[in-house]
Each structure stands twice: as structure tokens, then as C-alpha cells.
């Protein structure tokens, strides 16, 4: 066994940031297995196209024949599982893909990894890690005065997306408990940063603002999310991979709770300063309150004490520094956004916003 790792979903938002940082730090070969759904984008990885330490494989985590071949060929010391359907609103429109990838896909991945791991020699078996990247949404919703989610908070997923992630977390837990597979699970709060698909709040607002379109706020905009800069999440995953205790769960968060409306107003003010509207009016004029998300979780907040205390990880970016980097990246990478929003994306906007009577096309 060598220092090669297999990353799944490495052409998506967080996976891309993880793979780019891994390559930049020269940490070893990455075999990047991605199905390239609408959310996967090879353009994200263009700077690695001549890097022999990045091997892209187009495929599904549910394909056990492919997985058996990749595992045998590359003999990885770890598998990091990012692959998932990740957008809550899409899971409300059509949950099936979420069950297929997040539950059945993770199950097939675990089976393949278990078969590979079972044949390793004792030293390699001990060193091997399966790291499952999960979400704070599995814990459900908090009231405004509730304590933040710790690792022992009871699971109470509320959307088809979070239910499918919860199911995958339970499978990972069971594979450790039953078979001894050396697993690690991270449950992280809302990420933001470069390469974030513009169906999610922050990149959607930046994109719509610059395009002169309404900025859709669900319900009252008072729902709270705990935002973490994506590179901090990737650093946490590397730390867990390196020194995390086998079988454990680590919550990862930014200690940075904000109501959605505040996030959107911050973005508007930043754009007013960096790229003022031609008519001189504030971008906040484009804010539009729209029909709420079904079953919308009120508040997420992560208590990231355990990973700080036991593994020495804490976020490096504040919201101010992270959001500045993010807005700059979107302003400098308008082609990336335009390429994405010219295709299937339009169908999503029509289905989700326009069919509900919002004029966002
Ligand atoms: P994303 O939707 O941007 O990317 C998902 C990637 O997985 C895409 O490249 C897609 O092509 C790939 N994929 C989907 N189905 C696949 C399959 N069957 N086989 C192989 N590849 C497949 O998602 P993201 O925001 O980067 O999230 C990555 C992971 O982190 C997910 O597991 C998500 O649940 C978790 N997570 C996300 C956040 C967040 O704020 N975005 C926070 C906490 C946890
Ligand atoms: O908490 C971690 C989760 O964060 C991840 O597991 C998910 O994969 C990721 O998509 C994200 O889920 P959210 O639903 O919190 O993110 P989203 O960007 O879709 O929405 C953030 C908040 O903004 C949420 O309260 C809904 C609201 N929202 C979102 C959109 C797209 C709006 O008000 N208007 C919008 O148009």
C-alpha cells in the first residue's frame, strides 16, 4: 500500500477544493472518482490536467466492479467520500437520486472498500482509513436558544437530503462497529467559497445580483446557518484523516451563525463597493421575499469543541476574510459561472423558482 488516496465526488464544490489543496501541498496521488452529475465540473480541475498525481476517473460510487478494479490497481491508504447529491431543494423536488447515491451508493462503496480492506496485510489494514464527509443537517433544526450540535446530539433529519445523509452515516457507523472497518465521519456546517455551484444561497445571490435578477429569500430570511470557508473544511478533513481516532465522529463548523437575510445584505454591500450597479442603486433593491422551502430548518449551529480539543483544528478564516475571498473569486471567474449557468442550470431555475410564480429566469 502506498500514499495514494481515492477521493469520490472530487469534481464538485468541496471535493474540488480538497483535491486542489492536496495537490498544492504535494501530499500524494489522488484518484478522483466522480460521476459528473450536473454538480460535477471538470473545468474545476483544469490546473491538474498535466499533474501525474491526479488521476480522474468518470464513474459511480455504486459501481462495485469499477471500485474493485480501482482499489486493486491503486492500493489506496484511504478513501475520502464526498460524492453525494447535495442540494436540499432538489431533494424536495425529487428524492430518488438522493437515495440512490447517498444511501445505496455509499452502501456499495462501503462493501467494495470492506472487501479490499479485508485482504490487506495487518500493517496496512491498521493504517487504512475510510473518511465519510457528512453534514450538520442530520441533527435536524435548533431553536434560537438551543445549544449547538455536539457529536452526541440525536439524529433528526428533516429533508429527504438530510435523511439520506443520516442513513449513510449510520451505514458507516455500522461498518466500523460490525466489521471493524477503520472509519471516520465528519459532520460539517454550511460551506462557502470558490467553485460553489450557483444553486446554493451565496453563489446564487452573487450571480443574480450581477445579472440584475431578483435575490430570492425564502420566507422571512431569519433562518440561521453556521458558515465555514471551504478551505477550512478541507483542512479539518486532512487533520481528521491524519490523527482522527478510528470509529469517531467529528463536528466541523465555523462558529459563525448568521441569518440568511444578513448574509445577503453583506453580499449586496460588498458588490456595491466592488462592482456598483450601472444605475448607482444598491443591490439590496433586488432582494425579493419568496415562498418558503418546505420543511425549512430554522437554525443550524455546530459545536466544534471536540475537533479543536482533540485534534487541534480551528478555522483560519473569519466570515469577513472568507467572504471577501469568495466574492473576489466570483468576480474574477465570471466565465466559470457563465459556463455553468448556460446549460441545465436554466431548467432548474425554471422548475424551482419560475413554476412557483417567482420571476427569476
Ligand atoms: P456537490 O453537489 O457540489 O458535489 C457533489 C459531487 O459528487 C459532484 O462532483 C457529483 O458529480 C459527484 N457525484 C454525485 N453522485 C455521484 C455518484 N453516484 N458517484 C460519484 N460521484 C457522484 O456537493 P458538495 O457541496 O461539494 O458536498 C460534498 C459532500 O460534502 C457531500 O457529501 C455533502 O453532503 C457534504 N457536505 C456539504 C456541505 C456544503 O455546505 N456544501 C456541508 C457539509 C457537508
Ligand atoms: O448545513 C450543511 C448543508 O448546507 C449541506 O449539507 C448541504 O449540502 C448544503 O447545500 C447546505 O444546505 P442549505 O440548505 O443550508 O444551503 P442553501 O445554500 O441551499 O441554503 C442556505 C439557506 O438559504 C437556507 O436557509 C435556505 C436559504 N435560501 C436558499 C436558496 C437557494 C434562500 O433563502 N433562497 C435561495 O434561493
Amino acid at each position: 500500500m502506498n500514499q495514494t488516496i481515492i477521493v469520490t465526488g472530487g469534481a464538485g464544490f468541496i471535493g474540488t477544493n480538497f483535491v486542489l489543496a492536496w495537490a498544492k501541498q504535494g501530499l500524494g496521488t489522488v484518484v478522483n472518482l466522480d460521476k459528473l452529475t450536473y454538480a460535477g465540473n471538470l473545468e474545476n480541475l483544469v490546473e491538474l490536467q498535466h499533474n501525474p498525481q491526479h488521476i480522474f476517473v468518470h464513474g459511480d460510487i455504486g459501481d462495485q466492479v469499477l471500485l474493485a478494479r480501482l482499489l486493486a490497481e491503486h492500493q489506496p491508504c484511504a478513501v475520502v467520500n464526498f460524492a453525494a447529491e447535495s442540494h436540499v431543494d432538489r431533494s424536495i423536488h425529487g428524492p430518488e437520486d438522493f437515495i440512490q447515491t447517498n444511501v445505496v451508493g455509499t452502501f456499495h462503496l462501503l462493501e467494495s472498500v470492506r472487501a479490499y480492506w479485508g485482504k490487506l496485510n495487518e500493517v496496512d489494514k491498521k493504517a487504512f482509513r475510510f473518511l465519510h464527509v457528512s453534514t450538520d443537517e442530520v441533527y435536524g433544526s435548533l431553536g434560537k436558544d438551543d445549544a449547538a450540535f455536539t457529536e452526541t446530539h440525536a439524529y433528526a433529519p428533516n429533508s429527504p437530503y438530510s435523511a439520506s445523509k443520516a442513513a449513510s452515516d449510520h451505514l458507516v457507523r455500522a461498518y466500523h462497529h460490525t466489521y471493524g472497518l477503520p472509519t471516520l465521519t465528519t459532520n460539517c456546517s454550511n460551506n462557502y467559497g470558490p467553485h460553489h455551484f450557483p444553486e446554493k444561497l451565496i453563489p446564487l445571490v452573487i450571480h443574480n445580483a450581477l445579472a440584475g435578477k431578483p435575490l430570492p429569500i425564502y420566507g422571512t430570511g431569519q433562518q440561521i446557518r453556521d458558515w465555514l470557508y471551504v478551505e477550512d473544511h478541507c483542512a479539518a478533513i486532512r487533520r481528521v484523516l491524519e490523527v482522527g481516532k478510528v470509529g469517531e465522529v467529528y463536528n466541523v463548523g465555523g462558529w459563525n451563525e448568521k441569518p440568511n437575510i444578513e448574509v445577503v445584505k453583506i453580499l449586496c454591500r460588498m458588490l456595491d463597493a466592488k462592482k456598483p450597479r450601472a444605475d448607482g442603486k444598491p443591490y439590496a433593491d433586488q432582494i425579493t421575499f419568496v415562498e418558503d422551502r418546505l420543511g425549512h430548518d430554522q437554525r443550524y449551529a455546530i459545536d466544534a469543541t471536540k475537533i479543536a480539543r482533540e485534534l487541534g483544528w480551528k478555522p483560519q478564516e473569519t466570515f469577513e476574510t472568507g467572504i471577501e475571498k469568495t466574492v473576489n473569486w466570483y468576480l474574477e471567474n465570471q466565465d466559470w459561472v457563465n459556463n455553468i449557468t448556460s446549460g441545465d442550470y436554466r431548467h432548474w431555475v425554471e422548475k424551482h423558482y419560475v413554476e412557483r410564480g417567482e420571476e427569476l429566469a
Side-chain angles (χ1 to χ4, degrees), residues 9 11-15 33-37 39-40 59-61 82-84 86 101 133-135 161 165 188-191 200:
F13 164 46
I14 307 174
L33 172 66
D34 197 295
K35 188 177 171 183
L36 296 179
T37 66
D60 194 315
I61 56 165
F82 291 96
S86 70
T101 285
V133 180
S134 193
T135 170
Y161 162 69
K165 290 297 291 187
C188 187
S189 63
N190 284 62
N191 285 213
K200 309 280 168 65

Side-chain angles (χ1 to χ4, degrees), residues 27-73:
L27 296 176
T29 299
V30 174
V31 179
N32 184 350
L33 172 66
D34 197 295
K35 188 177 171 183
L36 296 179
T37 66
Y38 77 93
N41 185 355
L42 277 182
E43 205 184 321
N44 292 347
L45 302 164
V46 75
E47 69 189 74
L48 299 179
Q49 63 187 336
H50 301 302
N51 184 333
Q53 292 207 301
H54 177 250
I55 301 163
F56 182 80
V57 180
H58 185 197
D60 194 315
I61 56 165
D63 182 346
Q64 285 192 246
V65 175
L66 172 65
L67 281 164
R69 181 171 67 71
L70 291 178
L71 288 158
E73 196 176 315

Side-chain angles (χ1 to χ4, degrees), residues 88-230:
V88 174
D89 293 320
R90 287 187 192 252
S91 84
I92 295 168
H93 283 278
E96 186 147 1
D97 286 348
F98 290 73
I99 305 305
Q100 209 48 51
T101 285
N102 301 1
V103 186
V104 182
T106 304
F107 160 68
H108 286 305
L109 179 63
L110 281 164
E111 276 295 86
S112 306
V113 170
R114 179 166 77 91
Y116 162 74
W117 173 76
K119 292 192 206 115
L120 293 174
N121 66 48
E122 284 312 309
V123 175
D124 289 347
K125 224 174 168 175
K126 212 166 163 219
F128 183 82
R129 297 289 181 269
F130 179 91
L131 191 150
H132 180 60
V133 180
S134 193
T135 170
D136 58 1
E137 301 202 11
V138 298
Y139 299 122
S141 183
L142 291 169
K144 84 174 168 29
D145 298 322
D146 291 343
F149 300 127
T150 63
E151 289 78 0
T152 55
H153 197 97
Y155 272 37
N158 288 320
S159 71
Y161 162 69
S162 54
S164 67
K165 290 297 291 187
S168 66
D169 292 8
H170 290 322
L171 283 170
V172 172
R173 177 191 156 87
Y175 272 62
H176 172 67
H177 188 82
T178 306
Y179 305 113
L181 190 70
T183 63
L184 296 156
T185 299
T186 53
N187 291 87
C188 187
S189 63
N190 284 62
N191 285 213
Y192 66 98
H195 303 283
H196 204 181
F197 195 86
E199 63 187 353
K200 309 280 168 65
L201 181 70
I202 288 181
L204 179 90
V205 163
I206 299 172
H207 171 62
N208 281 16
L210 296 174
K213 293 178 180 171
L215 311 180
I217 311 279
Y218 297 162
T220 60
Q222 291 308 320
Q223 293 81 10
I224 291 169
R225 296 293 182 267
D226 175 358
W227 295 96
L228 178 70
Y229 191 62
V230 63

Side-chain angles (χ1 to χ4, degrees), residues 249-262:
V249 172
Y250 296 93
N251 281 359
V252 184
W255 300 104
N256 176 46
E257 293 181 55
K258 291 207 183 316
N260 295 334
I261 187 70
E262 191 183 324

